[in-house]
Amino acid sequence: MSGFSLRSFDLDRLLHYSFFGPEGLTIHERGLSAMVRFIAVRADLFRSVYFHRTVRAIDLTLRDLFAESRDMLFDGNPLQRLDAYRRFTEWTLLVDVSRWSGSDDPRRADIGRRWDRLLERKIDWRMAAERTLYFDPDESEESSIFSRDAFVEQALREALPSELRDIVLHVDLPRHVHRPGTEAARPGRISCTTRPAMKHVR
């Protein structure tokens, strides 16, 4: 559905030249070109699919909804009710929340209406601006303003005209690491999203 080809890298070649050696999972020299292509494809997936503005907006909307409705989604501690938790799936969740808007409980009905909006593909967040940054190996993201969402949001609000400084917005800093567990450069995408109700912010 994303238009991304499943033939973008040679999985058969990767598997053929991969084996377990004394130091763990190893790839033969003849499979290196396939590995390099796989890494490039993975990076492209982050840029074009995982970090897509609609995907990130859905993620942010779901984060807010789960935070507010978590106590209504499952009764009790899952560790103490494993059999019931095993039956708590994506499908049961979507069926349950679709009924909430008709509840007599005002809180459940309010959150249910918000779930209804999501199920109707009416997303709470909309991208207002986007930038992609790359950190070189000798640069430290942790010592920059981009180490935390709150730092960027504060700087952004201070740069806005005074009449816009209290708008509802969220700074989203998803990160893509080519080699997890290393200190390699970490490219990331910065997006500023705002609720659609704020018509004066585009």
Side-chain angles (χ1 to χ4, degrees):
M1 290 179 68
S2 68
F4 207 88
S5 174
L6 296 176
R7 301 179 181 274
S8 299
F9 63 93
D10 193 339
L11 177 61
D12 291 335
R13 189 174 182 87
L14 270 177
L15 294 174
H16 180 75
Y17 285 111
S18 299
F19 59 94
F20 282 94
E23 297 183 359
L25 183 61
T26 308
I27 187 164
H28 191 278
E29 181 180 7
R30 292 180 181 174
L32 286 180
S33 60
M35 175 60 76
V36 169
R37 179 61 186 149
F38 171 77
I39 292 172
V41 167
R42 183 173 180 269
D44 193 34
L45 275 169
F46 272 91
R47 288 189 295 266
S48 60
V49 179
Y50 308 141
F51 288 171
H52 189 277
R53 62 185 180 276
T54 303
V55 175
R56 295 303 302 178
I58 292 172
D59 285 347
L60 290 171
T61 303
L62 280 171
R63 183 202 64 183
D64 294 343
L65 281 172
F66 275 116
E68 295 183 41
S69 56
R70 182 171 42 211
D71 62 316
M72 295 186 287
L73 291 172
F74 188 82
D75 183 28
N77 185 339
L79 290 174
Q80 298 169 353
R81 302 184 58 206
L82 289 176
D83 286 343
Y85 189 64
R86 185 175 55 85
R87 294 189 292 272
F88 177 59
T89 67
E90 176 184 354
W91 296 107
T92 63
L93 180 148
L94 294 177
V95 170
D96 286 346
V97 299
S98 68
R99 297 175 176 147
W100 286 3
S101 57
S103 172
D104 294 332
D105 178 4
R107 175 173 173 251
R108 187 183 294 267
D110 178 61
I111 296 176
R113 285 188 287 272
R114 291 173 56 199
W115 276 103
D116 287 346
R117 281 179 49 81
L118 175 72
L119 297 176
E120 294 168 4
R121 201 177 169 82
K122 296 175 181 176
I123 310 303
D124 287 349
W125 296 97
R126 182 174 299 157
M127 182 177 292
E130 178 182 61
R131 297 292 183 272
T132 300
L133 298 180
Y134 294 88
F135 288 88
D136 294 327
D138 59 343
E139 293 180 309
S140 172
E141 178 194 1
E142 295 303 319
S143 64
S144 75
I145 189 177
F146 303 108
S147 60
R148 292 188 185 178
D149 299 3
F151 293 162
V152 180
E153 182 177 334
Q154 179 181 350
L156 179 60
R157 288 187 185 279
E158 290 174 357
L160 288 173
S162 57
E163 64 272 17
L164 295 179
R165 287 182 184 168
D166 293 327
I167 63 171
V168 178
L169 64 82
H170 176 77
V171 173
D172 182 34
L173 298 177
R175 291 166 175 82
H176 170 223
V177 183
H178 281 275
R179 297 177 61 198
T182 70
E183 295 301 322
R186 305 198 296 176
R189 174 168 293 179
I190 301 167
S191 64
C192 173
T193 53
T194 182
R195 292 189 187 275
M198 306 305 296
K199 299 296 185 185
H200 54 276
V201 178
R202 302 192 185 280

mmCIF file of all heavy atoms in Angstrom, residues 72 96-113 116:
data_model
loop_
_atom_site.group_PDB
_atom_site.id
_atom_site.type_symbol
_atom_site.label_atom_id
_atom_site.label_comp_id
_atom_site.label_asym_id
_atom_site.label_seq_id
_atom_site.Cartn_x
_atom_site.Cartn_y
_atom_site.Cartn_z
ATOM 1 N N MET A 72 -9.277 1.857 31.137
ATOM 2 C CA MET A 72 -10.569 1.320 30.709
ATOM 3 C C MET A 72 -10.423 0.186 29.691
ATOM 4 O O MET A 72 -11.379 -0.506 29.387
ATOM 5 C CB MET A 72 -11.424 2.432 30.090
ATOM 6 C CG MET A 72 -11.812 3.525 31.079
ATOM 7 S SD MET A 72 -12.949 4.725 30.365
ATOM 8 C CE MET A 72 -11.854 5.619 29.255
ATOM 9 N N ASP A 96 -14.172 -2.822 21.094
ATOM 10 C CA ASP A 96 -14.567 -2.240 22.384
ATOM 11 C C ASP A 96 -14.650 -0.715 22.313
ATOM 12 O O ASP A 96 -15.647 -0.123 22.730
ATOM 13 C CB ASP A 96 -13.575 -2.650 23.473
ATOM 14 C CG ASP A 96 -13.747 -4.105 23.891
ATOM 15 O OD1 ASP A 96 -14.778 -4.705 23.535
ATOM 16 O OD2 ASP A 96 -12.840 -4.633 24.559
ATOM 17 N N VAL A 97 -13.607 -0.066 21.797
ATOM 18 C CA VAL A 97 -13.599 1.405 21.808
ATOM 19 C C VAL A 97 -14.657 1.973 20.875
ATOM 20 O O VAL A 97 -15.125 3.098 21.085
ATOM 21 C CB VAL A 97 -12.200 1.968 21.453
ATOM 22 C CG1 VAL A 97 -11.171 1.517 22.474
ATOM 23 C CG2 VAL A 97 -11.782 1.589 20.038
ATOM 24 N N SER A 98 -15.061 1.209 19.855
ATOM 25 C CA SER A 98 -16.104 1.707 18.943
ATOM 26 C C SER A 98 -17.461 1.802 19.623
ATOM 27 O O SER A 98 -18.358 2.482 19.131
ATOM 28 C CB SER A 98 -16.199 0.803 17.704
ATOM 29 O OG SER A 98 -16.713 -0.474 18.053
ATOM 30 N N ARG A 99 -17.621 1.138 20.790
ATOM 31 C CA ARG A 99 -18.890 1.184 21.525
ATOM 32 C C ARG A 99 -18.911 2.276 22.587
ATOM 33 O O ARG A 99 -19.966 2.596 23.121
ATOM 34 C CB ARG A 99 -19.130 -0.170 22.208
ATOM 35 C CG ARG A 99 -19.274 -1.345 21.259
ATOM 36 C CD ARG A 99 -19.385 -2.640 22.034
ATOM 37 N NE ARG A 99 -19.624 -3.774 21.160
ATOM 38 C CZ ARG A 99 -19.158 -4.995 21.390
ATOM 39 N NH1 ARG A 99 -18.451 -5.238 22.472
ATOM 40 N NH2 ARG A 99 -19.430 -5.974 20.555
ATOM 41 N N TRP A 100 -17.755 2.809 22.923
ATOM 42 C CA TRP A 100 -17.664 3.727 24.056
ATOM 43 C C TRP A 100 -18.455 5.014 23.883
ATOM 44 O O TRP A 100 -18.946 5.586 24.849
ATOM 45 C CB TRP A 100 -16.203 4.075 24.326
ATOM 46 C CG TRP A 100 -15.424 2.969 24.961
ATOM 47 C CD1 TRP A 100 -15.861 1.709 25.254
ATOM 48 C CD2 TRP A 100 -14.057 3.020 25.380
ATOM 49 N NE1 TRP A 100 -14.858 0.967 25.823
ATOM 50 C CE2 TRP A 100 -13.746 1.745 25.909
ATOM 51 C CE3 TRP A 100 -13.086 4.005 25.347
ATOM 52 C CZ2 TRP A 100 -12.478 1.452 26.411
ATOM 53 C CZ3 TRP A 100 -11.826 3.709 25.844
ATOM 54 C CH2 TRP A 100 -11.533 2.446 26.373
ATOM 55 N N SER A 101 -18.562 5.520 22.667
ATOM 56 C CA SER A 101 -19.226 6.823 22.473
ATOM 57 C C SER A 101 -20.688 6.796 22.895
ATOM 58 O O SER A 101 -21.279 7.838 23.158
ATOM 59 C CB SER A 101 -19.108 7.270 21.014
ATOM 60 O OG SER A 101 -19.650 6.301 20.139
ATOM 61 N N GLY A 102 -21.287 5.593 22.974
ATOM 62 C CA GLY A 102 -22.680 5.489 23.417
ATOM 63 C C GLY A 102 -22.815 5.195 24.894
ATOM 64 O O GLY A 102 -23.930 4.926 25.369
ATOM 65 N N SER A 103 -21.718 5.289 25.652
ATOM 66 C CA SER A 103 -21.738 4.971 27.073
ATOM 67 C C SER A 103 -22.454 6.048 27.890
ATOM 68 O O SER A 103 -22.476 7.227 27.526
ATOM 69 C CB SER A 103 -20.301 4.808 27.577
ATOM 70 O OG SER A 103 -20.269 4.671 28.985
ATOM 71 N N ASP A 104 -23.022 5.641 29.034
ATOM 72 C CA ASP A 104 -23.639 6.589 29.965
ATOM 73 C C ASP A 104 -22.587 7.304 30.814
ATOM 74 O O ASP A 104 -22.893 8.325 31.442
ATOM 75 C CB ASP A 104 -24.621 5.861 30.893
ATOM 76 C CG ASP A 104 -25.818 5.304 30.129
ATOM 77 O OD1 ASP A 104 -26.168 5.887 29.084
ATOM 78 O OD2 ASP A 104 -26.382 4.285 30.576
ATOM 79 N N ASP A 105 -21.387 6.763 30.851
ATOM 80 C CA ASP A 105 -20.281 7.367 31.599
ATOM 81 C C ASP A 105 -19.716 8.519 30.763
ATOM 82 O O ASP A 105 -19.205 8.294 29.659
ATOM 83 C CB ASP A 105 -19.196 6.319 31.867
ATOM 84 C CG ASP A 105 -17.992 6.891 32.600
ATOM 85 O OD1 ASP A 105 -18.027 8.085 32.967
ATOM 86 O OD2 ASP A 105 -17.002 6.158 32.785
ATOM 87 N N PRO A 106 -19.804 9.772 31.244
ATOM 88 C CA PRO A 106 -19.355 10.923 30.447
ATOM 89 C C PRO A 106 -17.886 10.824 30.002
ATOM 90 O O PRO A 106 -17.572 11.167 28.862
ATOM 91 C CB PRO A 106 -19.556 12.115 31.398
ATOM 92 C CG PRO A 106 -20.589 11.656 32.370
ATOM 93 C CD PRO A 106 -20.376 10.183 32.543
ATOM 94 N N ARG A 107 -17.013 10.355 30.895
ATOM 95 C CA ARG A 107 -15.596 10.254 30.532
ATOM 96 C C ARG A 107 -15.390 9.225 29.426
ATOM 97 O O ARG A 107 -14.689 9.478 28.438
ATOM 98 C CB ARG A 107 -14.761 9.879 31.754
ATOM 99 C CG ARG A 107 -13.287 9.645 31.434
ATOM 100 C CD ARG A 107 -12.451 9.430 32.685
ATOM 101 N NE ARG A 107 -11.097 9.050 32.329
ATOM 102 C CZ ARG A 107 -10.586 7.843 32.508
ATOM 103 N NH1 ARG A 107 -11.317 6.884 33.066
ATOM 104 N NH2 ARG A 107 -9.341 7.565 32.164
ATOM 105 N N ARG A 108 -16.017 8.046 29.574
ATOM 106 C CA ARG A 108 -15.877 7.003 28.567
ATOM 107 C C ARG A 108 -16.477 7.457 27.227
ATOM 108 O O ARG A 108 -15.908 7.190 26.155
ATOM 109 C CB ARG A 108 -16.554 5.720 29.044
ATOM 110 C CG ARG A 108 -16.309 4.519 28.133
ATOM 111 C CD ARG A 108 -17.075 3.305 28.651
ATOM 112 N NE ARG A 108 -16.571 2.863 29.925
ATOM 113 C CZ ARG A 108 -15.640 1.920 30.080
ATOM 114 N NH1 ARG A 108 -15.127 1.336 29.019
ATOM 115 N NH2 ARG A 108 -15.247 1.563 31.293
ATOM 116 N N ALA A 109 -17.606 8.151 27.285
ATOM 117 C CA ALA A 109 -18.249 8.616 26.057
ATOM 118 C C ALA A 109 -17.375 9.644 25.341
ATOM 119 O O ALA A 109 -17.256 9.625 24.110
ATOM 120 C CB ALA A 109 -19.618 9.214 26.374
ATOM 121 N N ASP A 110 -16.747 10.544 26.120
ATOM 122 C CA ASP A 110 -15.879 11.566 25.524
ATOM 123 C C ASP A 110 -14.675 10.926 24.837
ATOM 124 O O ASP A 110 -14.354 11.249 23.690
ATOM 125 C CB ASP A 110 -15.422 12.547 26.598
ATOM 126 C CG ASP A 110 -14.489 13.603 26.035
ATOM 127 O OD1 ASP A 110 -14.920 14.366 25.143
ATOM 128 O OD2 ASP A 110 -13.318 13.662 26.470
ATOM 129 N N ILE A 111 -14.013 10.001 25.538
ATOM 130 C CA ILE A 111 -12.861 9.322 24.936
ATOM 131 C C ILE A 111 -13.317 8.454 23.770
ATOM 132 O O ILE A 111 -12.617 8.334 22.755
ATOM 133 C CB ILE A 111 -12.113 8.491 25.998
ATOM 134 C CG1 ILE A 111 -11.539 9.412 27.076
ATOM 135 C CG2 ILE A 111 -10.986 7.679 25.360
ATOM 136 C CD1 ILE A 111 -10.861 8.701 28.225
ATOM 137 N N GLY A 112 -14.513 7.875 23.883
ATOM 138 C CA GLY A 112 -15.052 7.070 22.795
ATOM 139 C C GLY A 112 -15.254 7.874 21.525
ATOM 140 O O GLY A 112 -14.998 7.384 20.420
ATOM 141 N N ARG A 113 -15.714 9.107 21.671
ATOM 142 C CA ARG A 113 -15.887 9.966 20.490
ATOM 143 C C ARG A 113 -14.540 10.258 19.830
ATOM 144 O O ARG A 113 -14.446 10.366 18.603
ATOM 145 C CB ARG A 113 -16.602 11.260 20.873
ATOM 146 C CG ARG A 113 -18.099 11.079 21.113
ATOM 147 C CD ARG A 113 -18.817 12.394 21.301
ATOM 148 N NE ARG A 113 -18.520 12.994 22.597
ATOM 149 C CZ ARG A 113 -19.193 12.738 23.708
ATOM 150 N NH1 ARG A 113 -20.193 11.876 23.690
ATOM 151 N NH2 ARG A 113 -18.870 13.330 24.847
ATOM 152 N N ASP A 116 -13.634 7.252 17.942
ATOM 153 C CA ASP A 116 -14.434 7.243 16.712
ATOM 154 C C ASP A 116 -13.767 8.106 15.639
ATOM 155 O O ASP A 116 -13.732 7.729 14.462
ATOM 156 C CB ASP A 116 -15.850 7.758 16.975
ATOM 157 C CG ASP A 116 -16.701 6.759 17.751
ATOM 158 O OD1 ASP A 116 -16.296 5.586 17.862
ATOM 159 O OD2 ASP A 116 -17.765 7.174 18.260
#
